[in-house]
Amino acid sequence: MPTQALATYAIHSDVAVITIDNPPVNAFSPPVIEALMTHLAAAQADSSVQAIVLIGAGKTFSAGADITEFLKYASGEKPFDDGLHRLIFAAEDSTKPVVAALRGSALGGAVELSVGCHYRIADSRTQLGLPEVKLGLIPGAMGTQRLPRLCGIAKAAELCATGRMCGAAEALEAGIIDRVTEEDLLPTAISFAQEMAATPNPLRKTRDMTDRLGEATENEAALKKLSQLVSQKARGQIAPQKAIEAVGLAATLPFTEAIERESEIFQELLLGDQSRALVHVFFGERAVAKIPNIAADTTSREIKSAAVVGAGTMGSGIALTYLAAGIPVVLKEVAAEQLQRGVETIRKQLTASVERGRITQAQAEQQLAALTPTLDYQDLSKADVIVEAVFEAMHLKQEVFAELDRVAKPSAILATNTSTLDVDQIASATRRPESVIGHHFFSPANIMRLLEVVRGSATSVEVIVTSMALAKRLSKVAVLVGNCFGFVGNRMFWPYQREAQFLLEEGASVEQVDRVLADFGMAMGPNAVMDLAGIDVGWRVDQERKDSLPEGLRQPLVSSKLYELNRYGQKTGAGWYRYEGRKALPDPAVQTLIESTAQAAGIERRTITDAEILERTLYALVNEGARILAEGIAERPVDIDITYVYGYGFPAWRGGPMMFADTAGLQKIYQRTCHYQEIHGPWWEPAPLLEELAKGDGKFADLAQRKR
Ligand code: 3HC
Ligand code: NAI
């Protein structure tokens, strides 16, 4: 393909219009950069051209640097290429004014290119952002030096360190862009370029500006405050702090030295584990949507309406999710009191969203009007998808599905939100198991991004494809998984929590275990998670499961005692912790309970190191992940990684459990698993896949290559 196809050149009276044309997001791949350089040079040479407009084809300006190129640099496949630097200098050194015309989004390198142009105009709906930190990077095309020259050090540092998007109005106010338009962008940008070309000194170079760089003491104070904020919000991450450091250089170093330092930091980060992990998560989120072995042209069912059975914690959250996506919901409960409570929860959540400015009052009213509460199954007969969210008990789920089979229209998808139960057994209560599937939402369902889509043995491909597309409409990240106890997420979480409890019995404290895993980067420690999810919920799962557990193996002892004491966690004000409001406080009564339980069971208590806590919880998680992969419950390691990052608070900057394992080294994990097997017995039997990969010096990531 000729390079010119990636960017076009046209003359509109005396203005050259260069259009970036690299669908779907106009990313700056090396050939795009070359094409833009060629067109910029052509515009210099054309004496009829007075000014240049740089715009993106389609709906967007550009998503910045081509992230696939980063993988090549990081793996050593290609040397680092500073093509974007050359392009930006070519724009800035143009002898004719260059105007960047922004619409849709301008991200990362795209903002950096635009702030290297002499002027910027944006459609009023444009979103600008420097999301490099979300990839474990800092802006690496001089953005950390040009941005502060336009909007000041504090603002530039905030944008670069958080990756936050900002709208056109905010960017105008901050001085990042020069004009905002509601009119058709291209003609307005052309007129703007002509207007600027007619001014006395039109070649305004950002690199030469210094008047907005501000006072040293004020800048230092602002950067210190930002650094503290970021260390809380992006716990454990290197890039946000590096972004602050780089922006700070604008005040202390000349431009040319500062951009060299920026480039060094960028390249260091690019080769680091955190960036590798975050790029893995970026592409992983997109990869899980592409299901291997399903034809791209598989038809999907039309979903225009939904029903939810059960208006408890999950049912009300699921109903909110559908309403937010503009899909009307019929909500079914057993009795008026429960129904009323569910509707009230939904109403309160919508009011809270209005108060937080997430939706308007009119939107909230519209969503509430699209909710139809009912006590009658017959009212579910028109729904295209029905999601069951009643108590976690097989007999009840089967009763509900028999009813759904009776009333639902033939094309309806019948989904269960069960978190652990056998989807096939639930489907067997119907005469249409091909239409039955798991839609496992996470709590709070309207907030958490993960949706585990559980395929039963009879689930049709059409129902799977429809579910995956529906998840996207619901703004969820869907991962397709197989049917077994707890599917991918909860099945792996069980050994993780089991070890956490064993460690308590052996001598660790509740707070120590939670601190160590929070320091590792988990959103919360395992005990805090149990208190949030409900110790009663876990107890019910254990009751359903207890007959199928292998006999003679050690079981956690303390959580069931907490259940018997009505210590269900946050909902009862006490669980592993005691609560003042939502604040968790250590509870000496729990410590006493743990110690007496351990003594009664003859468990010797000792000092537990932080390292042992990490190994036993995380390696148990990884070992189960290896079994899940071998059984095909998860198709690819990335399916597990995305499940854990989006559903279980696993740190994205570690890439998910399987990438973490690859980074830590499978040989080490295998050896330590064998070591714990010697001490603790069969729970620690190494998964055959872990053993095979460790002995062959392999990685989980190799499995993806094998399947290609
Ligand atoms: N490079 C390469 N591919 C990209 C890309 C990029 N910057 N941005 C998106 N893509 C790809 C996606 O992987 C996806 O590919 P696929 O269809 O094969 O799965 C395709 O473009 C469409 O992307 P989405 O599915 O995400 O489309 P959406 O419309 O939902 O979102 C978006 C569009 C908001 C642009 C989103 O893709 C996004 O946030 N992209 C990342 C933007 C980013 O991080 N830019 C900074 C890059 S780093 C940089 O510029 C460094 C510089 O400082 C030197
Ligand atoms: P919950 O106890 O808050 O709500 C269950 C609701 O179902 C109750 O309001 C009850 O009245 C109603 N119900 C019972 N039988 C019914 C019937 N025949 N028709 C209509 N409604 C009926 O329970 P929760 O937490 O919402 O859990 C529901 C399901 O979601 C369970 O299968 C659970 O395993 C699963 N789940 C729960 C998560 C959580 O964190 N709570 C997370 C993910 C899944």
Side-chain angles (χ1 to χ4, degrees):
M1 197 196 289
T3 55
Q4 258 68 3
L6 299 167
T8 57
Y9 182 83
I11 300 290
H12 292 249
S13 82
D14 56 355
V15 175
V17 175
I18 301 176
T19 308
I20 313 157
D21 192 3
N22 184 24
V25 294
N26 292 332
F28 299 138
S29 63
V32 169
I33 291 173
E34 287 319 312
L36 292 173
M37 297 280 281
T38 306
H39 294 321
L40 272 174
Q44 310 304 307
D46 186 341
S47 59
S48 70
V49 168
Q50 300 303 316
I52 300 158
V53 167
L54 187 58
I55 194 166
K59 293 193 181 131
T60 203
F61 183 69
S62 164
D66 183 343
I67 304 169
T68 57
E69 290 292 310
F70 296 166
L71 300 172
K72 297 178 194 160
Y73 305 136
S75 67
E77 189 185 325
K78 259 181 140 185
F80 184 73
D81 173 16
D82 69 349
L84 201 48
H85 278 236
R86 282 186 285 114
L87 173 64
I88 295 170
F89 275 128
E92 194 171 43
D93 291 335
S94 160
T95 53
K96 301 165 185 183
V98 183
V99 172
L102 312 179
R103 62 181 160 207
S105 45
L107 301 173
V111 169
E112 295 176 286
L113 171 59
S114 74
V115 297
C117 295
H118 303 112
Y119 304 96
R120 291 148 294 285
I121 180 169
D123 174 276
S124 59
R125 285 152 299 180
T126 310
Q127 292 284 320
L128 292 88
L130 292 136
E132 285 88 344
V133 283
K134 296 183 181 163
L135 300 171
L137 300 168
I138 64 166
M142 303 177 282
T144 66
Q145 301 309 306
R146 285 207 166 83
L147 212 58
R149 286 170 162 78
L150 290 169
C151 67
I153 288 204
K155 179 89 182 177
E158 191 256 322
L159 290 172
C160 294
T162 62
R164 175 175 76 80
M165 297 282 234
C166 90
E170 183 185 342
L172 179 70
E173 160 107 32
I176 299 168
I177 58 178
D178 305 293
R179 206 166 277 193
V180 172
T181 180
E182 301 276 348
E183 307 298 318
D184 195 358
L185 181 65
L186 182 58
T188 317
I190 292 172
S191 304
F192 180 49
Q194 287 167 328
E195 187 188 323
M196 291 302 107
T199 58
N201 295 305
L203 301 177
R204 200 179 55 170
K205 298 185 182 189
T206 323
R207 68 173 184 245
D208 295 337
M209 298 178 180
T210 49
D211 55 330
R212 295 218 60 186
L213 288 175
E215 291 294 318
T217 45
E218 263 176 40
N219 287 335
E220 272 165 33
L223 294 186
K224 197 170 162 200
K225 198 164 152 213
L226 181 64
S227 166
Q228 281 162 351
L229 184 90
V230 163
S231 64
Q232 287 161 9
K233 293 223 162 176
R235 210 160 24 96
Q237 294 187 46
I238 303 168
Q241 299 293 352
K242 291 283 180 188
I244 297 172
E245 178 190 326
V247 173
L249 298 177
T252 54
L253 289 183
F255 183 83
T256 43
E257 280 175 47
I259 59 169
E260 256 176 51
R261 182 67 196 124
E262 178 205 79
S263 189
E264 277 165 22
I265 298 174
F266 180 82
Q267 290 179 58
E268 274 162 31
L269 291 172
L270 198 51
L271 297 176
D273 288 341
Q274 292 200 357
S275 175
R276 233 167 27 89
L278 287 162
V279 170
H280 167 73
V281 170
F282 176 83
F283 285 118
E285 184 186 326
R286 285 146 186 89
V288 294
K290 298 175 186 123
I291 311 156
N293 308 324
I294 289 192
D297 59 355
T298 307
T299 52
S300 74
R301 298 186 188 176
E302 197 176 18
I303 305 290
K304 285 189 175 159
S305 62
V308 177
V309 185
T313 310
M314 293 307 290
S316 47
I318 295 168
L320 275 162
T321 307
Y322 274 96
L323 294 172
I327 302 174
V329 177
V330 177
L331 183 64
K332 154 91 176 71
E333 256 291 349
V334 270
E337 190 190 331
Q338 285 87 335
L339 189 59
Q340 187 52 36
R341 191 198 51 203
V343 172
E344 212 32 55
T345 307
I346 292 169
R347 192 195 307 275
K348 277 192 190 145
Q349 287 284 340
L350 289 172
T351 307
S353 297
V354 173
E355 281 164 9
R356 287 192 194 115
R358 289 199 189 131
I359 53 172
T360 62
Q361 181 64 32
Q363 285 169 322
E365 280 163 21
Q366 202 178 12
Q367 289 187 29
L368 204 58
L371 179 73
T372 311
T374 184
L375 296 174
D376 188 352
Y377 272 113
Q378 210 53 48
D379 290 338
L380 277 51
S381 63
K382 294 201 178 80
D384 296 318
V385 56
I386 306 179
V387 189
E388 165 278 313
V390 303
F391 302 126
E392 186 78 342
M394 181 54 81
H395 71 90
L396 179 62
K397 304 254 181 207
Q398 287 193 321
E399 266 170 49
V400 170
F401 272 77
E403 287 292 338
L404 297 183
D405 191 30
R406 190 175 61 77
V407 298
K409 63 183 183 186
S411 62
I413 290 183
L414 309 183
T416 171
N417 182 49
T418 177
S419 38
T420 52
L421 299 174
D422 183 347
V423 173
D424 288 340
Q425 217 180 324
I426 295 173
S428 71
T430 73
R431 289 156 299 168
R432 42 173 132 174
E434 70 285 355
S435 292
V436 177
I437 192 162
H439 284 184
H440 182 209
F441 289 82
F442 287 70
S443 182
N446 51 322
I447 308 274
M448 294 292 285
R449 301 253 352 254
L450 181 67
L451 181 72
E452 261 186 322
V453 174
V454 188
R455 125 194 246 171
S457 56
T459 311
S460 75
V461 169
E462 192 188 60
V463 167
I464 293 171
V465 168
T466 308
S467 296
M468 299 300 282
L470 174 61
K472 197 160 186 188
R473 276 174 73 194
L474 299 178
S475 302
K476 299 293 174 199
V477 176
V479 179
L480 181 65
V481 300
N483 181 29
C484 66
F485 167 82
F487 322 123
V488 167
N490 283 341
R491 174 166 158 189
M492 284 172 69
F493 213 55
W494 199 84
Y496 170 82
Q497 284 194 315
R498 176 197 73 211
E499 288 304 312
Q501 275 204 59
F502 287 172
L503 286 156
L504 298 180
E505 293 167 6
E506 290 166 35
S509 71
V510 171
E511 304 83 68
Q512 184 193 6
V513 170
D514 281 357
R515 172 187 50 78
V516 169
L517 284 150
D519 285 352
F520 171 80
M522 299 297 289
M524 291 171 120
N527 302 305
V529 168
M530 274 179 95
D531 274 0
L532 183 69
I535 286 169
D536 55 325
V537 174
W539 183 86
R540 273 203 203 95
V541 171
D542 289 345
Q543 297 311 301
E544 285 284 326
R545 194 194 182 202
K546 65 177 190 268
D547 295 339
S548 60
L549 284 176
E551 277 188 26
L553 285 185
R554 177 180 171 192
Q555 299 296 337
L557 300 171
V558 185
S559 56
S560 56
K561 297 208 161 152
L562 293 175
Y563 174 80
E564 284 158 19
L565 292 167
N566 289 329
R567 295 184 69 117
Y568 296 169
Q570 285 195 18
K571 63 174 97 164
T572 56
W576 290 105
Y577 295 90
R578 66 184 179 85
Y579 290 87
E580 277 176 12
R582 286 174 68 187
K583 189 164 191 266
L585 298 164
D587 194 338
V590 173
Q591 185 61 24
T592 308
L593 179 70
I594 295 169
E595 284 170 20
S596 62
T597 306
Q599 193 183 22
I603 298 166
E604 198 181 317
R605 288 175 62 80
R606 60 196 164 87
T607 302
I608 306 280
T609 63
D610 291 357
E612 182 174 349
I613 293 173
L614 278 180
E615 286 192 352
R616 280 180 59 187
T617 50
L618 295 172
Y619 295 179
L621 189 73
V622 169
N623 199 32
E624 195 65 27
R627 286 187 207 287
I628 281 174
L629 279 172
E631 290 170 24
I633 295 294
E635 189 80 28
R636 303 155 292 191
V638 71
D639 292 310
I640 297 179
D641 286 340
I642 295 301
T643 299
Y644 262 74
V645 168
Y646 286 104
Y648 293 81
F650 199 95
W653 51 272
R654 292 192 189 267
M658 307 325 274
M659 187 176 202
F660 156 74
D662 280 346
T663 308
L666 297 192
Q667 286 179 356
K668 176 178 163 204
I669 294 180
Y670 171 67
Q671 279 161 11
R672 297 302 288 166
T673 302
C674 294
H675 165 77
Y676 288 123
Q677 187 187 20
E678 274 171 30
I679 301 171
H680 299 288
W683 279 134
W684 278 95
E685 190 182 335
L689 179 62
L690 175 64
E691 180 172 354
E692 178 200 323
L693 289 173
K695 289 189 171 163
D697 203 14
K699 288 181 167 215
F700 289 116
D702 303 338
L703 299 174
Q705 309 295 333
R706 272 193 220 168
K707 288 201 171 176
R708 263 189 204 150

